[in-house]
Amino acid sequence: MARGLQIRLACAAVLLATGMTALILGARLGVVQLNAGEMTLVFGSGDAGLTMGVASRTCPPHCHFNVDWRPMAR
């Protein structure tokens, strides 16, 4: 039983690390907007490095999960 839990935790850790790596790489190349439930998270790169903005959003009781990426205009 404990072995199955360790495998599930290892898989979750790998998924989290992969997602965070993709998020940081996307933020370096543009702006990533993550709508998760009642929160909006915006990641981008600025003069000081990686920037992050957090805001609340209003939505119906069943909010969706949405990732939007826009390349930076140069």
Side-chain angles (χ1 to χ4, degrees):
M1 187 70 160
R3 180 83 172 149
L5 178 62
Q6 289 176 346
I7 291 172
R8 286 188 288 182
L9 286 174
C11 290
V14 168
L15 184 63
L16 178 64
T18 303
M20 290 301 293
T21 302
L23 180 71
I24 290 171
L25 289 175
R28 288 288 181 189
L29 299 174
V31 177
V32 178
Q33 182 174 0
L34 174 65
N35 293 322
E38 296 181 357
M39 297 297 296
T40 297
L41 305 169
V42 180
F43 299 91
S45 66
D47 295 336
L50 187 67
T51 60
M52 177 180 152
V54 179
S56 64
R57 68 181 184 136
T58 58
C59 59
H62 301 289
C63 300
H64 61 281
F65 184 82
N66 184 18
V67 177
D68 184 25
W69 178 76
R70 295 178 313 273
M72 295 179 73
R74 294 196 185 238

